[in-house]
Amino acid sequence: MEPLVEVRGLTIEFPMRAGLLRAVNEADFVIPKGQITALVGESGSGKSTMASAIMRAISVPGRVAGGSITFDGRDVMSLGKKELQAYKWEQVSMVFQAAQNALNPVARIKDQIIETFRAHSKSYTEKQMVDKARNLLDYVRLDPDRVLNSFPHELSGGMKQRVMIAFSLLLDPQLVILDEPTTALDVITQAYIFDILKKIHKDMNITMLLLTHDIGVVAKAADRVGVMYAGNVVEAGDVYDMFKRPKHPYTAKLMKAVPSLYEDVSERKGIPGSPPDLLNMPPGCPFHPRCEYAHAKCKEQNPIKVYTPAGHEVACHLYPNPESVAEVRTS
Ligand code: SF4
Ligand code: MG
């Protein structure tokens, strides 16, 4: 797999009155070109912060305290002002969480599209902009004439979400990041949107990063998945491999907590306890207070990631070396 984005040792901190909050802790993460990668984790696990860093959009007072991000081999962190303007939207775009609410309530969709274009590209005429928008709206299965002339309040939540997806494609980015793209929507609308996203991915060959707290969504849409817990990427790998045999105890618990993946209702279990306070992290492995396999070492050292030859990664003391991961897999 050829990486489009490579995140290495990324640490992002937010100085707070109560102390330094480390939202992302020495995270490694790869987004392969041409695939749909999901980043899954509970709210506050660091997914959105990591995605914002890839977008070079960490909000003040947050800062990248260490590590690197490359996009197609280019160092994202050192992009100058002009390069950055071209990078955002033309290389990578993001549909933010609850993006429907980001639409300007007092402007028609058409005018908002033209404004977005103008802010990022000088090379389109107004007719070209509207034609392009029309095509994309058609692609997300909306009636272009109706939508272009509508105000946001005249559209349903699912329609607005599709408008935002069309917006994210206006400047032909290589990567689209979608933060909880279907969270506020009903199940049928969710399925419909995933269907559209998959079609866009396939027809336009767009790499996607999907941020979600819902591991069921991952199963439906992604090729590859990373699992975040309290700012750490604890496991990453091929989606099929991960569902078949999760390696990190947290991933295993996440999967057991999903009703749709378990036929036997009695097997469904929530994860006891709650994620740690990021301002007051436990020593050692951040998952140890909730982990049934925790042993003495877990309380002292945060595990280093182990890579298997199959491209699976896991950070857990149960796997001191790649061979032991393979062993667990075949047992
Ligand atoms: Fe559990 Fe220890 Fe692995 Fe952490 S390192 S997940 S506490 S076994
Ligand atoms: Mg979030």
Side-chain angles (χ1 to χ4, degrees):
M1 80 184 172
E2 192 189 341
L4 179 60
V5 178
E6 265 188 282
V7 173
R8 293 287 164 220
L10 187 70
T11 295
I12 300 170
E13 292 174 339
F14 289 81
M16 312 285 276
R17 252 195 311 176
L20 199 59
L21 186 149
R22 191 170 266 208
V24 176
N25 181 35
E26 296 181 13
D28 294 336
F29 189 60
V30 172
I31 303 173
K33 217 175 245 184
Q35 292 192 8
I36 301 180
T37 299
L39 202 47
V40 67
E42 289 158 286
S43 117
S45 59
K47 320 179 288 282
S48 303
T49 309
M50 172 120 82
S52 297
I54 294 170
M55 248 330 245
R56 268 282 298 270
I58 294 287
S59 49
V60 181
R63 63 177 200 106
V64 174
S68 66
I69 303 170
T70 56
F71 186 99
D72 223 0
R74 283 198 310 168
D75 177 5
V76 171
M77 240 87 92
S78 66
L79 295 177
K81 206 175 160 194
K82 260 217 155 114
E83 294 165 306
L84 194 58
Q85 211 187 355
Y87 175 69
K88 288 188 189 180
W89 298 93
E90 288 172 43
Q91 299 290 317
V92 45
S93 68
M94 186 158 169
V95 179
F96 290 93
Q97 190 165 0
Q100 311 88 289
N101 308 330
L103 288 166
N104 180 349
V106 296
R108 288 182 203 276
I109 301 298
K110 182 179 165 185
D111 296 326
Q112 301 194 44
I113 283 177
I114 291 171
E115 199 186 325
T116 305
F117 256 119
R118 289 234 164 92
H120 294 279
S121 173
K122 308 263 175 291
S123 55
Y124 286 82
T125 64
E126 188 164 319
K127 178 167 183 324
Q128 285 172 324
M129 295 178 201
V130 174
D131 284 348
K132 179 127 197 216
R134 211 176 273 282
N135 275 337
L136 289 168
L137 289 169
D138 194 40
Y139 218 90
V140 296
R141 299 177 204 160
L142 289 167
D143 173 356
D145 287 318
R146 183 187 154 200
V147 169
L148 285 171
N149 290 308
S150 293
F151 288 98
H153 74 263
E154 296 172 306
L155 306 171
S156 71
M159 289 167 89
K160 281 188 272 193
Q161 188 65 340
R162 281 183 279 155
V163 168
M164 293 313 293
I165 292 169
F167 261 74
S168 75
L169 299 167
L170 281 174
L171 292 148
D172 305 310
Q174 290 193 67
L175 171 69
V176 175
I177 302 174
L178 300 127
D179 193 354
E180 305 279 7
T182 59
T183 295
L185 307 172
D186 64 81
V187 178
I188 293 171
T189 311
Q190 281 187 13
Y192 191 57
I193 289 196
F194 280 119
D195 204 41
I196 290 171
L197 288 176
K198 278 189 164 172
K199 188 161 162 51
I200 289 169
H201 164 72
K202 197 164 149 247
D203 294 356
M204 303 184 187
N205 192 28
I206 288 182
T207 305
M208 289 183 177
L209 175 65
L210 206 62
L211 313 181
T212 179
H213 67 281
D214 181 350
I215 203 152
V217 160
V218 175
K220 269 177 242 153
D223 303 302
R224 191 177 165 79
V225 54
V227 180
M228 282 194 87
Y229 186 78
N232 292 262
V233 177
V234 296
E235 179 165 4
D238 171 77
V239 81
Y240 181 78
D241 194 28
M242 184 99 80
F243 273 87
K244 202 164 173 221
R245 204 176 286 274
K247 305 194 171 52
H248 195 281
Y250 175 62
T251 315
K253 285 260 193 263
L254 265 186
M255 289 183 176
K256 277 206 177 144
V258 181
S260 58
L261 295 174
Y262 262 76
E263 278 154 67
D264 184 355
V265 180
S266 64
E267 291 274 337
R268 280 184 218 167
K269 284 195 186 100
I271 308 176
S274 48
D277 173 2
L278 292 174
L279 283 166
N280 190 14
M281 288 286 279
C285 170
F287 191 57
H288 90 248
R290 301 170 82 183
C291 181
E292 59 187 302
Y293 303 99
H295 47 284
K297 197 176 178 184
C298 304
K299 292 171 191 157
E300 283 158 17
Q301 281 174 34
N302 197 357
I304 290 170
K305 199 170 288 181
V306 175
Y307 297 82
T308 73
H312 204 111
E313 314 167 9
V314 60
C316 168
H317 289 306
L318 295 175
Y319 311 102
N321 55 57
E323 290 74 43
S324 69
V325 180
E327 242 170 64
V328 169
R329 257 166 93 190
T330 50
S331 65

